[in-house]
Each structure stands twice: as structure tokens, then as C-alpha cells.
Amino acid sequence: MTDRAQPPPATFESLGLSDVMLAALNLAGYQYPTPVQAGLIPRALTGIDVVGQARTGTGKTASFVIPILERMQLKHDIHHPQALVMVPTRELAVQVRDEAIKLSAGRKVHCVAVYGGKPIREQIEKLRKGAQIVIGTPGRVLDHLARGTIDFTKLKVVVLDEADRMLDIGFRPDIERILKRCPQERQTLLLSATVPPPIAKLAERYMHNPETLNFSPKDVAVETIEQFYFTVDPQKKFELLVRLISREKPKQAIIFCRTKRGTEKIFQRLSKKVKDAKIVAGIHGDMNQGARDRVMAAFRAEKIRFLVATDVIGRGIDVTTISHIINYDIPAFCDDYVHRVGRTGRMGREGVAFTFVAPDEGYELTRIEERINRLLKRGEMKDFDPSASPDIARVPAAADGSPGGEAAAAPPPPPSSMLRRPPKRYKRAL
Ligand code: ADP
Ligand code: MG
């Protein structure tokens, strides 16, 4: 099994593509294959199953659409779907369909997107007329299967695009039902930004000896980034943040919050705390694009040292100088943790991540630990009381060594991860 991406060949020609494909790529304005495409296309062309791990925006769509088109039989009367692409959202269904249409220039291929929220009749009509490539959300695909309006008997390729996202939003049972109704003799391609154990299991169950290609150095880096957690009452988080910053002196840090309002609030408060307010900025979806671009440009130029951000914005950030990630709020989804923490430790640099966990969020911490398959270390902050009760002032331990205020302010209970056994180690990591 290959674990690393091969260095990309320089051109699409060297991937052994047909003239009609090369012409379509030319028309699309794609001059060179992206590393994901250079790695995936030649392998997928041989018909083997492939798991491709790469972050968004790396050209994954064309990496499966090209082999689908190249392996398609467009002779005589084949009207039934030959390729099925499952995607998590309607928007993505439309986007992938459009890419497939673009890249099928010069061929008589029909691509149909099937997704919920649209009258099923239109889709049935399109399928009836003949569609070689079907792109759909699992729910709607299953709907068509149940109605008998889709025929998968001629299916040659099945693609699971954004597999991690699909599982996150609960499509697993639907996906499994669909896969069970696809021909055994098929090729399966799985694309995902992360390959956590549930994806690995899915691949193990429904794919034939898949080759894994990993194009996500940041995800690998997560294993080398030092990761700590602090159990802290929500009311004491800001104080902990300030203490952490003054202790750690980050070169550049992103402070992740769960909500736009929270992001704005922490940004305001932090601006007042630091000497030079210009080194602090906030970024979230309520800001207009111009303002967001300005913040990002200043962050890249290292004029901003502390960036308070929501996950949506945080995902796209690709700055190599980030030394610290501070999860002011524990992320709502495990994948967001991987994405957040992957912002640091890039290009082999050292990175450290701190996650603030409220006493009742131990379960969420455990889920993260299970997802990344390792335990976070417990963070230490000298003379800091993480509990909220203002009336129980923590008496510092007496200099003579007698027990000081230890009993007066018991620290909050440790998160459940400390009470449980370490997360189960999965035998088969893809
Ligand atoms: P991913 O699925 O990895 O997030 P996409 O397939 O959506 O990425 O591609 C991201 C963008 O890059 C799209 O706008 C796509 O048209 C463009 N793109 C893909 N491959 C190439 C290429 N080889 N050259 C130039 N642009 C490309
Ligand atoms: Mg994609």
C-alpha cells in the first residue's frame, strides 16, 4: 500500500489520457494536473479501488471524473448509469455535475444530478432518457432505487466524494444500503479530507484492497503537533487565554470559537488586553469579503499575531507561520478539530494546540481523542484556578508547605477521557 503521493508528472499527456480528454482539459483551462490528479488518475485508470485523502480545493473532482470518462463505454445502447458519485450536499451534487459536464466535452455523455428538495419527477425523466453518470445525495439516490427509477446493474464505478462529511451528517446507513445494491464487480473510489476509523472501516468492508494515497501532510502533522487540553469553567476561559498567551508568547496564533458572536466578543476583549490592538483581529462569516481578505492579508504578512476565528473561516487558512492553535471552544465536530489543529505545524514546523474543555464537555474531548486515536495531554497553568465560583478564593499553598487552599477550591472533575481507558486502537489504519 502506498502511503505517500508520488511526485507529479508534469503534464496531463504523461498520464496517458485520450485525445478527446486532453482537448476537454484544454478547453477547461487546466494546464497541469494537481498532485492529487497526478497521483489518482493513473491508478484509477487501471481499475483498482483507491482511497484519496486530500484537503479541499486540491482538484479531487477531476481526479475521479477523468478516469470515469476514460473508462466509460459509449457504444451503442448503454443508457444505464455507468458511474455513481455520492456527495453530501445538493450544492456539491450540482458542482460535481457541472465539472463532469465540462470535462465530458466532445463526448456524448449525459450527467444527471439527483438530490432532495427538487421535484423527483424531473429527475426521473432525465434518468429515463439515459444518463451515464449520476451524481447524487445518498437519500435521493436511495429514493430512486426504491422507486425503481434508477438501474445500477451496469454500474462500473462508484465514487464516495467527501466521505468524511457524508458520515458526519449521518449518511452511513444510506450509503451502505446503496453499496449493497451496486454490482460486486465495480471500481470504488473514496475521496475524503480525513480518513478516521469509521471511513477506514467503510473502505475495508466495501472496497477491494484499496490503494491509499495521502496528499494531506497537515493531517499527518496532527500526529506530531503537541496537543493539550485544559478543563476550565466557561467563565474562566478568557483569563486562561490571556495567561496562556503571556506564557506561550505565540509567534502567530489562531483562537477558534464556535460562534460568530463569540468570535467577535473574544476579539473585542483581547484587543483591549494587548498593548497594541492592531495585532489582534477577528474573522467570521458575518464580515464582508473585503474585510475578510484584508484580515487574511495582514495575517499572512504577520502583522496580525492573534486571529480569532470561526471554523468556517479557519478551514481555508493556509499560513505556515502559525505556531499555536487555541480552541477557545471545543469544536462541535471531530473533523473540525483535525482541520483546526492542522493549521499549525505546517511544513515540518513545530506547532502546539490547546483545547479548552468545559467540565461538562468531557465526552466531546473523548470523541476527539477517539477520532485522532491519541490522548491529549493535560495542560498545566501555574496559580490558575479553572473553577468559576468567585466566593471560594483559592488560597495559595502556604510557603511553609502546610496544605493551603487545596480543599477550599477543588478543581472541576477531569473530562471523561481521564476516567476512561485510552481510545481503542484500531488495528487497520488506512
Ligand atoms: P476538491 O474537490 O479537492 O475540493 P475541486 O475538484 O472542487 O477540489 O477543484 C477546486 C478548483 O480547482 C475547481 O474550481 C476546479 O475547476 C479547479 N481545478 C481542478 N483541477 C485543476 C487543474 N488541473 N488546473 C486548474 N484548475 C483546476
Ligand atoms: Mg470536492
Side-chain angles (χ1 to χ4, degrees), residues 94-116:
V94 171
Q95 210 174 296
V96 171
R97 182 202 55 198
D98 292 347
E99 179 91 355
I101 290 174
K102 188 164 73 179
L103 296 177
S104 59
R107 305 179 206 243
K108 283 207 177 71
V109 176
H110 295 285
C111 310
V112 173
V114 298
Y115 48 89

Side-chain angles (χ1 to χ4, degrees), residues 12 29-34 37 55-62 95 99 102 161-162:
F12 280 116
Y30 294 2
Q31 280 183 297
Y32 301 99
T34 67
Q37 291 161 2
R55 59 189 171 82
T56 44
T58 49
K60 288 195 287 299
T61 318
Q95 210 174 296
E99 179 91 355
K102 188 164 73 179
D161 191 19
E162 305 224 1

Side-chain angles (χ1 to χ4, degrees), residues 151-262:
D151 179 348
F152 283 161
T153 53
K154 300 280 191 310
L155 213 55
K156 290 177 67 177
V157 187
V158 173
V159 180
L160 299 168
D161 191 19
E162 305 224 1
D164 49 353
R165 202 20 71 109
M166 287 203 283
L167 293 205
D168 265 354
I169 55 185
F171 275 139
R172 189 193 183 101
D174 285 357
I175 292 171
E176 294 201 44
R177 260 178 236 136
I178 294 165
L179 290 176
K180 281 184 187 137
R181 297 192 50 182
C182 294
Q184 281 278 331
E185 286 305 307
R186 60 156 201 272
Q187 179 181 35
T188 309
L189 306 173
L190 185 153
L191 291 306
S192 199
T194 55
V195 180
I199 302 265
K201 273 193 189 167
L202 192 76
E204 195 172 1
R205 195 169 301 165
Y206 295 98
M207 297 174 77
H208 302 296
N209 297 324
E211 181 165 355
T212 301
L213 300 176
N214 187 351
F215 300 93
S216 315
K218 77 177 171 58
D219 292 335
V220 176
V222 168
E223 288 157 26
T224 59
I225 293 163
E226 274 213 285
Q227 297 167 67
F228 298 92
Y229 75 90
F230 282 100
T231 306
V232 56
D233 191 278
Q235 292 179 37
K236 299 297 284 285
K237 280 186 184 179
F238 189 72
E239 186 188 334
L240 180 59
L241 174 68
V242 173
R243 296 275 300 265
L244 201 56
I245 284 174
S246 78
R247 183 186 82 185
E248 293 284 315
K249 302 187 176 41
K251 190 166 156 42
Q252 269 192 311
I254 306 186
I255 297 140
F256 280 106
C257 297
R258 233 184 238 194
T259 63
K260 294 175 209 167
R261 272 181 69 194

Side-chain angles (χ1 to χ4, degrees), residues 267-305:
F267 156 57
Q268 298 289 352
R269 287 180 76 182
L270 195 59
S271 303
K272 292 193 188 98
K273 271 281 171 192
V274 298
K275 281 199 202 89
D276 177 8
K278 284 205 290 292
I279 63 166
V280 185
I283 190 161
H284 54 76
D286 276 354
M287 292 161 59
N288 67 41
Q289 196 59 47
R292 272 150 64 170
D293 292 346
R294 278 195 295 281
V295 167
M296 280 317 299
F299 192 57
R300 279 203 186 87
E302 296 180 52
K303 288 183 186 130
I304 289 169
R305 266 182 68 200

Side-chain angles (χ1 to χ4, degrees), residues 381-399:
M381 181 59 71
K382 237 175 109 209
D383 301 328
F384 172 73
D385 177 3
S387 58
S389 12
D391 46 329
I392 319 171
R394 186 168 188 163
V395 184

